[in-house]
Amino acid sequence: MSSQIHNSCGLDVHKQFIIATTLTDTDSLKKQKRFEWNENGLSEFKSWVLSEQCDVIACESTSDYWVPIYDSLNDHIPVIVGNARDIKAFTHKKTDNVDSEFIAKLALNGMIQPSRVFTQEVRGFRSLIRQRHIFVRKRSDIKNEAHSVLSNEEFHLDNVLSDIFGKGGRRILSGIISGTPVNEIIESLPKNLRKKRDQILEVLNAEISENTALRLKSCLTMIDAFDGEIGSLENEFFHYAYARYPREMKILTSVPGIGELGAATLLAEIGDFHDFPSGDKLASWLGIVPTVHQSADKYYNGRITKRGSKVARWMLTQIAHAAARTKKSKLKEFYLRKKDSLGFGKAIIALARKIVTITWHLITNDELYEDETGYEKNYIIKKKVFETISIPVDERIKILHEMKIVMDRIDHRVG
C-alpha cells in the first residue's frame, strides 16, 4: 500500500446494499453513491471505484459482507478491513451516509489499522471449524431440551448415568421410545451398568406419556443427525489440517491439553503464527489479556479484552481445563500456583494465556513440547509442609532468611 493517500473510498456495507463515499486531499469534493448487494450492483461498484482512481478502499469487518469486496478488488486497489470497534471510537453519529464518509476520512488520513485477512483457502478451513462449533452448540441445546422433557415426567435418568446420551443411556432411551420391556432393556446394557440394575429399575418404573415419548424421539433423531454432520465436518478439516500443516499439528498436539480438534481449531483461527512478533502479541490479538487502565502512575487490570476470535478463546479455555487435569505437568503446577492466589476462573484464563505463548514459541522455533515429571509432586509437598508445620510465622521467616544466607555463601564459594 502506498504511504501517500490522495483519494480514498469509504464503505458502509450492509446485507442488501453498500454506501460508498470518495474523498480527496486536494479539495472538499465528495462523491457518494449507493449500490445494491447483487451481482450487477457489485459489478457497477467495482467499475465506479476503478474509474474514480482511488488509492485505497476502507470498510469495517462487518460479518462476512466484506469478503466479496476484498476478493474482487484487492488485486486492483488496496482494501483495508478495519476493526469495527476501533472505527466507532472516533464518532458518535450513526447514519449510513455519515458512516461511509467518516470511514473515507479515516482512510484518507491513514488512521485505520488494517486487520489480518486470511487467504481464501484458510478462510474455507476456518469456516468448517466454525460450522462444527455451531452444530455442537445446537446439539447441546437439543440435549438440554431432552433433559427438560424427561425432568417434566420425573424421569431422572441423569441421577443414575453421568451421560444419558452415552452408549448405555441411548439404549435405555431407545428402548423406552420403542416400548421394549424393562428386563430386555437392562439385559442389553453394558456390564458396568448392570451393577446399577436396582437404580435403573427404579427409574424405569416411572411411566412417560405418549406425547413425551414423541418429543424425546424427535430430540434423539436430531442429535443423531447433528452427530453425523459433525463427524463429516471433522473428517474434512482433519484431512486438510494434516495435509496442509503436518508439522504444526504434531507440535501443537505435543502440548498437554491440546488434542487434534484443539490443534486444528487454533491453526484455523490464528493462521500463520509467524505474523506475530511475540507470544504476548498473539495473546493480545486473541483477546485473552486483561484490560489495562492507568491513572496517576497506577495501573489497574480488568477483565480480558475479548477482542479476538470467540471460537479460539472458547477452545483455549477447554484446552486449559484439560491441561490443568494433566498429571505430572509443569502446566498443572502453574495452574495450581495461580489458583491459590487468583481463584479457579482466573487461573484457567492465566493458564490459557500461558499455553498461547508456549505454542507461539514452539511453532516459530519448530520445536516439540518437552515436559519434566515430578513437578506436581514437588508442589504438593512444598504446599503441605507450610500448611501442616506448626511453626509461628516469625520463626518461618527467620529460617528462610538463614537458609538464604547459607545458599549465598555456597554460591560465593562455587563462584
Side-chain angles (χ1 to χ4, degrees), residues 6-26:
H6 304 289
N7 190 352
S8 67
C9 177
L11 305 180
D12 189 40
V13 185
H14 295 268
K15 185 176 181 179
Q16 298 179 344
F17 62 89
I18 303 170
I19 300 294
T21 304
T22 59
L23 295 175
T24 63
D25 61 349
T26 56

Side-chain angles (χ1 to χ4, degrees), residues 236-283:
E236 289 292 332
F237 62 68
F238 281 148
H239 176 74
Y240 175 86
Y242 279 109
R244 180 69 173 80
Y245 307 104
R247 180 60 180 171
E248 289 84 350
M249 287 290 290
K250 185 176 181 180
I251 291 173
L252 289 175
T253 51
S254 69
V255 180
I258 300 182
E260 289 183 324
L261 178 60
T265 302
L266 293 180
L267 289 172
E269 295 295 329
I270 296 173
D272 190 355
F273 281 68
H274 295 84
D275 290 347
F276 302 92
S278 68
D280 289 334
K281 292 293 184 182
L282 174 56

Side-chain angles (χ1 to χ4, degrees), residues 197-230:
R197 180 187 182 93
D198 294 338
Q199 294 174 280
I200 296 175
L201 275 173
E202 184 179 352
V203 174
L204 294 181
N205 286 333
E207 295 183 1
I208 62 174
S209 64
E210 182 179 349
N211 179 60
T212 298
L214 181 62
R215 293 172 61 192
L216 184 60
K217 181 180 179 181
S218 177
C219 289
L220 295 181
T221 301
M222 292 299 298
I223 291 172
D224 289 337
F226 276 118
D227 285 340
E229 292 301 321
I230 290 170

Side-chain angles (χ1 to χ4, degrees), residues 39 89 114-115 125 150 200 203 209 276 287 335 346 396-397 401:
E39 186 175 353
S115 300
F125 175 39
L150 293 174
I200 296 175
V203 174
S209 64
F276 302 92
Y335 163 74
K346 292 182 179 179
R396 295 185 195 180
I397 295 174
H401 179 67

Side-chain angles (χ1 to χ4, degrees), residues 95-229:
T95 66
D96 296 337
N97 292 343
V98 169
D99 278 351
S100 175
E101 181 180 352
F102 192 75
I103 292 173
K105 288 181 180 179
L106 294 178
L108 189 64
N109 292 278
M111 297 176 66
I112 299 179
Q113 180 67 30
S115 300
R116 293 175 69 235
V117 179
F118 298 159
T119 63
Q120 288 184 343
E121 184 181 10
V122 176
R123 291 204 301 266
F125 175 39
R126 186 174 58 176
S127 68
L128 295 177
I129 295 285
R130 293 186 174 185
Q131 187 72 42
R132 179 199 176 276
H133 182 66
I134 293 172
F135 284 175
V136 168
R137 288 191 304 175
K138 298 291 185 183
R139 184 180 62 182
S140 297
D141 290 340
I142 296 173
K143 287 183 177 181
N144 290 335
E145 178 63 22
H147 276 286
S148 176
V149 169
L150 293 174
S151 296
N152 290 338
E153 293 286 329
E154 300 297 329
F155 197 90
H156 298 297
L157 187 60
D158 52 343
N159 292 341
V160 181
L161 304 180
S162 58
D163 181 13
I164 68 172
F165 301 103
K167 186 177 180 180
R170 287 302 298 267
R171 288 184 181 179
I172 294 176
L173 295 178
S174 299
I176 293 171
I177 294 172
S178 60
T180 305
V182 174
N183 291 332
E184 292 184 18
I185 294 176
I186 293 179
E187 289 300 323
S188 67
L189 297 178
K191 291 183 180 180
N192 62 323
L193 290 182
R194 293 178 192 173
K195 299 177 182 178
K196 300 181 179 180
R197 180 187 182 93
D198 294 338
Q199 294 174 280
I200 296 175
L201 275 173
E202 184 179 352
V203 174
L204 294 181
N205 286 333
E207 295 183 1
I208 62 174
S209 64
E210 182 179 349
N211 179 60
T212 298
L214 181 62
R215 293 172 61 192
L216 184 60
K217 181 180 179 181
S218 177
C219 289
L220 295 181
T221 301
M222 292 299 298
I223 291 172
D224 289 337
F226 276 118
D227 285 340
E229 292 301 321

Side-chain angles (χ1 to χ4, degrees), residues 370-411:
E370 294 182 1
D371 209 339
E372 297 180 12
T373 59
Y375 279 84
E376 177 189 3
K377 182 178 179 181
N378 292 337
Y379 170 81
I380 293 174
I381 290 175
K382 292 176 183 177
K383 189 171 185 287
K384 286 185 176 180
V385 165
F386 282 96
E387 285 181 349
T388 57
I389 268 185
S390 57
I391 299 177
V393 176
D394 293 341
E395 289 295 327
R396 295 185 195 180
I397 295 174
K398 184 178 179 180
I399 292 172
L400 291 174
H401 179 67
E402 292 175 353
M403 289 176 62
K404 183 178 183 304
I405 293 174
V406 172
M407 294 301 298
D408 290 340
R409 289 176 181 175
I410 293 174
D411 292 339

Side-chain angles (χ1 to χ4, degrees), residues 78-91:
V79 179
I80 300 176
V81 182
N83 187 296
R85 183 185 300 179
D86 293 340
I87 293 175
K88 287 295 185 290
F90 291 101
T91 180

